[in-house]
Amino acid sequence: MNFSVQIKVMPLRELLDPQGKAVMGGLQNLGIKTIQDVRIGKNIQLQIEATTPEEAKKIAENASTKLLANPVMEYFEITLL
Amino acid sequence: MNFSVQIKVMPLRELLDPQGKAVMGGLQNLGIKTIQDVRIGKNIQLQIEATTPEEAKKIAENASTKLLANPVMEYFEITLL
């Protein structure tokens, strides 16, 4: 069976997010002043061939720790769609 | 009130996603062969000051169309957390 899995990779909360800060500056220059914080991460969608949802999740977790997320700077969340 | 809004910005389904293709190649080199497709987009988290959830959503939509997403290559989805 084919499973659609979504992985959210975000910068750790303890760390500054310079990309987010830059975007917030851009938004304020555009006159959007009610936005107080911006954090930018990655959203990765995988199509995984597996027999059970649990297996698909495990494959996604393996891929995240091995390649998709850098644990020094990022955390990740896996959702089965 | 402060609202937490999440914006998912993904490459349009009709378009190739070279970044995703590269990551898929990397995963296969690592021996993870059950992943059949990878698409990579952005995940943006905003803290918005607004009086109602509807207003917060509108501000996020405005920010997305004006700055965060490029409609020629991307679509976006807004979720209130």
Side-chain angles (χ1 to χ4, degrees):
Chain A
M1 256 176 87
N2 209 331
F3 293 93
S4 200
V5 177
Q6 176 182 299
I7 305 173
K8 228 171 75 177
V9 182
M10 296 297 290
L12 289 173
R13 286 175 233 281
E14 302 80 34
L15 298 180
L16 277 176
D17 175 14
Q19 194 186 359
K21 284 277 165 291
V23 164
M24 199 167 78
L27 288 169
Q28 283 175 347
N29 287 341
L30 283 173
I32 305 174
K33 307 215 188 264
T34 47
I35 294 180
Q36 297 172 328
D37 190 38
V38 182
R39 289 187 83 79
I40 301 184
K42 283 175 286 185
N43 187 51
I44 304 171
Q45 270 173 12
L46 304 176
Q47 298 297 327
I48 300 179
E49 184 63 39
T51 47
T52 62
E54 290 74 30
E55 193 194 339
K57 227 170 167 173
K58 235 177 226 168
I59 292 169
E61 227 175 277
N62 186 23
S64 300
T65 46
K66 276 198 184 151
L67 184 71
L68 303 175
N70 170 8
V72 177
M73 300 178 61
E74 296 165 326
Y75 68 94
F76 63 89
E77 279 173 30
I78 296 173
T79 323
L80 229 92
L81 297 184
Chain B
M1 257 175 85
N2 208 331
F3 293 93
S4 200
V5 177
Q6 176 182 300
I7 306 173
K8 225 171 78 176
V9 182
M10 294 298 290
L12 290 172
R13 286 175 232 280
E14 301 81 35
L15 297 181
L16 276 177
D17 174 13
Q19 195 186 357
K21 284 275 167 291
V23 165
M24 199 167 79
L27 288 170
Q28 283 175 346
N29 287 342
L30 284 173
I32 306 174
K33 308 215 187 263
T34 46
I35 294 180
Q36 298 172 328
D37 191 37
V38 181
R39 291 186 82 79
I40 301 183
K42 282 174 288 185
N43 186 52
I44 304 170
Q45 270 173 11
L46 304 176
Q47 298 296 326
I48 301 179
E49 183 64 39
T51 48
T52 62
E54 290 73 30
E55 194 194 337
K57 224 169 170 175
K58 235 177 226 169
I59 292 170
E61 225 175 280
N62 186 23
S64 300
T65 45
K66 276 196 184 154
L67 184 71
L68 303 175
N70 169 7
V72 176
M73 300 178 60
E74 296 165 325
Y75 69 94
F76 62 88
E77 280 172 30
I78 295 172
T79 322
L80 230 90
L81 297 184

